Amino acid sequence: MSGPVLVGVVNVTPDSFSDGGAWFDADAAVEHGRELMAAGADVVDVGGESTRPGALRPDLDEELRRTIPVVAALATSGAMVSIDTMRAEVAQAAIAAGARIVNDVSGALADPGMASVVADAGVDFVAMHWRGHSATMQARAHYDDVMADVCRELTTRIDALTSQGVRPEQIILDPGLGFAKLPEHNWALLRGLPEIMALGHRVLVGTSRKRFLGLVGRSEETIRGADEREVATAVTSAYAAEAGVWGIRVHDITATRDALDVATAWGKLPGGGE
């Protein structure tokens, strides 16, 4: 591919920070996934658990009820489907329904059975930098050197996963922007993307609609709402693409696709310029 893989978000949740439950109904979620594909998404990432700061977890049965019918329908439509889950049982059911990527924001820390599911299935696995569940994660946003600390903790995850049978080529790293991170940590990690890529794995970045983008040039009192952050999302996505990341995870495929097209025409991405 000449540019990064675009991963479109399908939140099958009632309490997502980004869309407020707009796709909680399974039929609506499937239709939204198809719309993302039509707009240029290479992957649709289906999740049934909100990971916004302070969010509480659904139980296993509820997460399965939310996600598996959507995964199955989108896979049948020909989509490359990713399942966004921290539970091994959900990952296993989603793989059986057609998912080809497991996106685990805990990097297999939340469920000790996750690594074996991924290893046995041979699917790609997104391992995000994570320090705890949403209800408490922001209390853990303390770093001596955020780049060094995140790279070290991701390396520990890589070693743990490979020791449990996950092949190195299955692993995709995610720096976990907004997860146990303050705005200054997020910006440092974006500036340091080459260091994360130097760990030797594909890298997925997700800035989309996150709070730190709402604060760019604003105060807490004038912060942009989640639906007002698409320009900032597209700009950061284009810079991440120029840095050479494997994938970009976004809610609005069209805005980011436009930004990447501009970067390509400018010669900042392969395939553009004179």
Side-chain angles (χ1 to χ4, degrees):
M1 296 182 64
S2 61
V5 169
L6 291 184
V7 180
V9 180
V10 180
N11 288 318
V12 196
T13 58
D15 55 349
S16 170
F17 84 94
S18 62
D19 53 42
W23 321 117
F24 187 45
D25 175 77
D27 290 340
V30 171
E31 181 59 28
H32 184 54
R34 290 172 177 157
E35 290 170 353
L36 292 170
M37 292 166 59
D42 303 295
V43 178
V44 286
D45 190 39
V46 178
E49 175 180 349
S50 174
T51 51
R52 62 177 173 76
L56 300 178
R57 306 193 72 190
D59 63 28
L60 171 62
D61 288 343
E62 175 62 11
E63 188 178 352
L64 288 166
R65 185 195 68 77
R66 293 176 183 181
T67 57
I68 303 308
V70 178
V71 169
L74 289 172
T76 299
S77 296
M80 169 78 80
V81 180
S82 168
I83 179 66
D84 181 352
T85 185
M86 290 182 275
R87 289 185 167 114
E89 289 178 76
V90 175
Q92 193 164 40
I95 292 166
R100 295 165 64 186
I101 301 172
V102 174
N103 179 14
D104 182 350
V105 299
S106 80
L109 280 168
D111 188 333
M114 182 66 83
S116 63
V117 168
V118 172
D120 290 346
V123 297
D124 281 350
F125 182 65
V126 180
M128 197 189 79
H129 177 264
W130 187 80
R131 286 186 165 183
H133 288 289
S134 298
T136 60
M137 66 181 178
Q138 290 309 100
R140 297 182 172 92
H142 302 287
Y143 301 88
D144 293 325
D145 178 325
V146 68
M147 278 305 310
D149 292 349
V150 168
C151 285
R152 183 181 63 255
E153 291 169 31
L154 284 174
T155 299
T156 299
R157 282 286 80 220
I158 294 165
D159 292 343
L161 290 166
T162 55
S163 73
Q164 296 175 79
V166 180
R167 299 190 311 278
E169 59 268 26
Q170 291 177 253
I171 298 172
I172 301 165
L173 301 178
D174 182 334
L177 302 175
F179 289 77
K181 313 287 191 311
L182 301 177
E184 58 266 30
H185 299 142
N186 297 323
W187 291 116
L189 289 168
L190 286 171
R191 288 191 295 270
L193 282 174
E195 294 180 51
I196 298 172
M197 291 186 290
L199 296 177
H201 296 269
R202 292 168 289 169
V203 173
L204 175 69
V205 169
T207 64
S208 189
R209 298 181 181 174
K210 290 189 175 178
R211 190 175 187 278
F212 78 103
L213 296 185
L215 285 168
V216 173
R218 301 288 185 93
S219 66
E220 289 284 353
E221 292 72 26
T222 59
I223 186 172
R224 297 173 186 84
D227 60 351
E228 300 174 308
R229 301 170 191 172
E230 297 303 346
V231 173
T233 296
V235 171
T236 52
S237 295
Y239 275 105
E242 185 180 355
V245 300
W246 168 82
I248 296 170
R249 182 179 183 273
V250 293
H251 298 84
D252 185 332
I253 291 291
T254 300
T256 292
R257 181 73 270 165
D258 285 350
L260 297 182
D261 287 345
V262 169
T264 300
W266 198 329
K268 300 295 185 180
L269 296 178
E274 296 182 359

